[in-house]
Amino acid sequence: MRVQLDCVSRGAGQINEDYAAVSLAGDIGALVVLDGVGGSGVGCRHGVPWFTARLGGELLRLACTRVDTPLADCLGEAIARTARAHATSCDLTQVQTPQSTVVAARWHGDRLDHLVLSDSMLLIRGRDGVVRPVLDKPLDRLEPGPSKRLSALREVEEAHPVGSAERAAAAEEYARVSRGLRNSPGGFFTAAADPDVAAKALTGTLPRSEVCSLAALTDGAGNWVETFGLGTWTQCVELLEREGPQGLICRVRTAERADAGRDSFPRDKSVDDAAVVFVEFDGAP
Ligand SMILES: [Zn+2]
């Protein structure tokens, strides 16, 4: 088995809010990739990196030591333990309390379990060569009202000239509305302080022998496909096979720099933290 990992901040001196970890012990392996958000000093004195280290570490440990417990239950327990660790010192009811997307996978014998919550990605390449992306698209799960509102705001943003006050105001309003939909009824869900959110994750199980490779990505890396349209998910995995996580992230950085003003490719951040864990099982091509 070969494992490659890259997890880099959006720029020199910027704190990386992505998290990536792998555990290999005996015949049990697991990976966890998180994209931290929130935590702008409201309510929590610890910050996002503390939160992702705590949540990711708990999830990885539970996944590997309780191999018969479903990953969603491991995630629920990891969220609860993380919340308990700062419930007395922090106000976890704030919408902006530290939180994250979650991708996790665990393999044990011929069983491979996976979980995706919110907009980080898992790409599973089968022995048949087909790449199956596991994507939890939060905006696609929105109820029609909020979904239409966000689409309309994005259209307003794109209709105004680059650099105009109207375009900036629409982008700001989009971000504000989007934040308000996080972990609220009719909105979308991330791992924050409520363990029940774990039940909303996409989960699945496959025979390990049918899987050739796994790639877990935060959207900072997945933007190669989703924002910049530089290839398909299959081509993304082919790029990882050739150049590894560093090659993928390097190409995203080039695309980000070429559109630093976010004129051609509207996105929340000009440059984003990026994390990739790429696992190739024995017998991979
Ligand atoms: Zn805290």
Side-chain angles (χ1 to χ4, degrees):
M1 184 191 311
R2 183 180 189 217
V3 177
Q4 299 178 73
L5 185 158
D6 205 6
C7 185
V8 292
S9 81
R10 55 202 174 280
Q14 302 291 320
I15 292 171
N16 188 357
E17 295 186 334
D18 284 2
Y19 168 95
V22 178
S23 172
L24 302 172
D27 70 339
I28 302 167
L31 67 83
V32 173
V33 169
L34 311 178
D35 182 351
V37 285
S40 56
V42 184
C44 174
R45 63 179 190 175
H46 298 93
V48 172
W50 176 90
F51 175 84
T52 52
R54 188 103 201 182
L55 179 68
E58 291 282 7
L59 177 55
L60 191 68
R61 191 171 64 77
L62 290 165
C64 292
T65 55
R66 297 184 184 175
V67 287
D68 296 324
T69 301
L71 284 178
D73 293 347
C74 293
L75 175 59
E77 179 67 23
I79 292 171
R81 289 180 182 205
T82 303
R84 279 200 298 274
H86 63 150
T88 53
S89 60
C90 306
D91 175 7
L92 308 187
T93 63
Q94 298 280 345
V95 169
Q96 282 291 85
T97 195
Q99 56 205 269
S100 76
T101 70
V102 182
V103 176
R106 168 182 61 195
W107 50 98
H108 172 225
D110 194 38
R111 183 184 169 99
L112 189 151
D113 302 313
H114 54 86
L115 175 149
V116 175
L117 179 68
S118 196
D119 59 357
S120 292
M121 309 88 184
L122 180 68
L123 310 176
I124 303 172
R125 178 159 212 163
R127 293 276 165 209
D128 56 3
V130 175
V131 172
R132 294 171 180 84
V134 183
L135 309 173
D136 177 21
K137 304 308 292 175
L139 296 183
D140 292 349
R141 293 209 293 191
L142 286 181
E143 290 180 3
S147 178
K148 267 191 200 148
R149 175 114 197 265
L150 283 176
S151 301
L153 283 168
R154 196 57 108 192
E155 278 172 25
V156 170
E157 180 185 347
E158 290 176 14
H160 286 290
V162 171
S164 69
E166 291 86 352
R167 188 177 174 113
E172 200 167 302
E173 179 66 0
Y174 181 97
R176 193 189 66 77
V177 171
S178 174
R179 271 199 304 275
L181 290 167
R182 229 184 267 157
N183 293 326
S184 66
F188 55 85
F189 295 89
T190 53
D194 176 8
D196 292 344
V197 162
K200 299 182 187 297
L202 297 180
T203 57
T205 296
L206 294 165
R208 226 280 285 134
S209 53
E210 290 181 11
V211 176
C212 191
S213 68
L214 294 174
L217 289 66
T218 58
D219 65 345
N223 279 343
W224 188 80
V225 174
E226 292 204 320
T227 296
F228 298 108
L230 293 167
T232 62
W233 290 120
T234 298
Q235 289 167 328
C236 183
V237 171
E238 289 167 354
L239 176 59
L240 288 170
E241 288 167 356
R242 285 195 312 275
E243 301 181 18
Q246 207 177 5
L248 174 63
I249 294 172
C250 191
R251 283 158 190 262
V252 174
R253 290 287 179 262
T254 301
E256 288 170 333
R257 278 196 299 273
D259 182 46
R262 294 180 278 171
D263 307 330
S264 304
F265 302 99
R267 55 198 191 274
D268 292 341
K269 299 168 190 165
S270 180
V271 181
D272 199 0
D273 302 335
V276 179
V277 173
F278 186 46
V279 178
E280 292 170 284
F281 293 108
D282 292 338

